[in-house]
Amino acid sequence: MSELANESSAQRFESVFSGTAEGTWVAPGRVNLIGEHTDYNDGFVLPFAIPQRTEVAAARLPEHSWEAWSALNGETVRFTEDDLTPGGVPGWGAYVASVVWALRERGYDAPGARLAITSDVPLGAGLSSSASLESAVLGALVDLGRLDVPVEERPAIAQLGENKYVGMPSGILDQSASIRCREGHALFLDCRSLAVEHIPFDLASAGLAILVINSNAPHQLVDGEYAARRASCEAAAAALGVPALRDVSLDGLDDALARLDDDVLRRRTRHIVTENDRVLRTVELLRAGDVRGIGPLMTASHASMRDDFEITVEQVDLAVSAALEAGAFGARMTGGGFGGCVLALVETSAADEVRSAVEKAYAARAFTPPATFVATAAPGAHRL
Ligand code: GLA
């Protein structure tokens, strides 16, 4: 399948640019198993890459100019060095330009290039379609320009572009997942030190599966609410006199809460501190080979996002409760929130039953039907 896709993105390059691509670079979308909104609090996350990915067939241009074509809309975006100020390239092309801009900001001479882009990462579903685009473009430019950019530095470069060029105040979760994940593993990332540990995540041999349920809820208020959550966390850390909420331990949580006089800040803090702890406990269970045991932590994480961090919506909560009622060991929303996807940990043989229970619950409420797929832990970004 990937060979076909490879052929197709290289062939598309040929038909769009009447030339031959020098190579094809891919980068996946991701789901986050647990650890939501902890990344910009210097905390812990545990994503894994999904098989859906963005592919970029690319060739170098002699000048510092860029032409990017996307199969999603058949559009070609062109830009030069003159457009490399934030806001210079609008729309989806901004994600491409952001990578060029960020490489240059970090002192790397990003080569001019033609890029033909295809992707099967669902858009607007909280599966990191943008990070997969940025990461694939980054891989292409680094290799085409023979730039010596260590892999551990790449996520921060893509994140810099997204923060400063695109203007989204996201943390480092998505780009780290897309670039650093390994097949068959979840990525345990310390977002302060950027140290990673690849945690074996072998669902199949435990007879389990992760069902991804795209709530298909209209993504609303995402940017503003995301920025508001981030601001609240920063305000809480400042009020507590710590660099980030990561520095509040679970043991110190009650004291910290007593020192905050704002109930919203208290609840945001409680989510972050307990969520960091849930990530650590999830990692412990996986290290011990107890995949099923992580279910209750997933469900507790969802309750915390719903009640304390207030980032879920009706469709998402319904998918979680319907999945649990149908026998899932655990279920939670994944990603930034206000829509997006739910992960349900299920017995492989029960996946269909859980899927149809969620579909039925949606139908009863006349919600747009959810889309579902079973996720396996796929490889991170690489050249084909
Ligand atoms: C979005 C952001 C990430 C992270 C998640 C929530 O995906 O891009 O940086 O904050 O939300 O965990």
Side-chain angles (χ1 to χ4, degrees):
M1 157 130 178
S2 68
E3 250 168 38
L4 209 68
N6 173 27
E7 234 175 63
S8 125
S9 76
Q11 279 174 346
R12 281 156 185 250
F13 184 98
E14 281 180 24
S15 52
V16 173
F17 295 119
S18 316
T20 309
E22 289 173 50
T24 299
W25 289 262
V26 299
R30 63 98 189 92
V31 291
N32 192 19
L33 190 54
I34 197 158
E36 230 61 79
H37 286 257
T38 44
D39 60 349
Y40 56 79
N41 288 292
D42 279 4
F44 305 105
V45 293
L46 190 63
F48 65 90
I50 56 175
Q52 291 89 334
R53 63 193 194 177
T54 298
E55 300 200 358
V56 172
R60 202 173 163 151
L61 282 175
E63 313 294 327
H64 280 105
S65 66
W66 293 269
E67 294 178 22
W69 173 87
S70 168
L72 289 181
N73 50 22
E75 263 175 38
T76 303
V77 169
R78 295 185 176 80
F79 58 94
T80 67
E81 286 178 300
D82 297 341
D83 304 306
L84 291 176
T85 44
V89 178
W92 67 270
Y95 290 96
V96 179
S98 74
V99 176
V100 176
W101 177 85
L103 275 169
R104 291 161 64 103
E105 282 290 300
R106 289 288 168 94
Y108 296 105
D109 183 18
R114 285 190 165 127
L115 312 130
I117 300 160
T118 63
S119 182
D120 63 355
V121 185
L123 300 182
L127 296 174
S128 290
S129 55
S130 359
S132 77
L133 170 57
E134 295 156 9
S135 304
V137 169
L138 182 61
L141 294 177
V142 163
D143 286 357
L144 288 175
R146 294 188 163 64
L147 307 177
D148 187 14
V149 189
V151 80
E152 351 21 294
E153 285 176 21
R154 295 183 190 187
I157 294 175
Q159 183 203 10
L160 177 70
E162 184 159 323
N163 288 173
K164 298 275 159 51
Y165 192 95
V166 179
M168 268 295 297
S170 46
I172 202 161
L173 163 66
D174 307 340
Q175 293 84 2
S176 299
S178 188
I179 292 170
R180 304 187 74 182
C181 277
R182 279 198 196 150
E183 188 167 14
H185 292 75
L187 181 82
F188 175 35
L189 171 69
D190 177 335
C191 298
R192 173 168 278 166
S193 68
L194 300 184
V196 303
E197 185 183 335
H198 298 278
I199 308 287
F201 190 51
D202 185 2
L203 289 163
S205 70
L208 298 172
I210 291 274
L211 186 65
V212 181
I213 304 159
N214 182 350
S215 71
N216 276 329
H219 244 197
Q220 278 164 357
L221 311 167
V222 186
D223 300 1
E225 291 288 348
Y226 185 91
R229 293 305 177 283
R230 190 166 180 157
S232 296
C233 291
E234 285 163 4
L240 295 168
V242 290
L245 288 181
R246 147 77 174 271
D247 299 300
V248 179
S249 68
L250 192 62
D251 286 346
L253 178 60
D254 285 345
D255 279 355
L257 296 181
R259 287 168 54 211
L260 291 170
D261 51 18
D262 180 285
D263 186 51
V264 170
L265 295 196
R266 272 199 293 268
R267 285 186 291 127
R268 305 300 186 248
T269 301
R270 188 164 54 202
H271 167 72
I272 298 300
V273 174
T274 58
E275 185 77 348
N276 274 328
D277 177 64
R278 282 185 289 269
V279 177
L280 299 178
R281 284 158 64 199
T282 301
V283 168
E284 284 307 315
L285 288 167
L286 292 180
R287 281 196 192 116
D290 184 3
V291 186
R292 195 169 297 203
I294 73 173
L297 293 168
M298 295 172 69
T299 306
S301 167
H302 186 78
S304 179
M305 290 191 285
R306 183 191 59 213
D307 303 334
D308 278 347
F309 221 62
E310 297 178 289
I311 52 172
T312 69
V313 295
E314 269 185 298
Q315 288 91 330
V316 159
D317 293 335
L318 182 64
V320 167
S321 56
L324 291 171
E325 273 163 35
F329 298 112
R332 66 181 295 277
M333 184 189 75
T334 187
F338 305 98
C341 290
V342 161
L343 305 182
L345 179 67
V346 298
E347 202 92 58
T348 311
S349 55
D352 282 343
E353 208 176 310
V354 172
R355 183 198 323 256
S356 61
V358 176
E359 283 167 359
K360 263 192 209 136
Y362 267 51
R365 298 281 293 277
F367 288 150
T368 307
T372 53
F373 64 92
V374 169
T376 48
H382 58 280
R383 185 178 184 163
L384 289 182

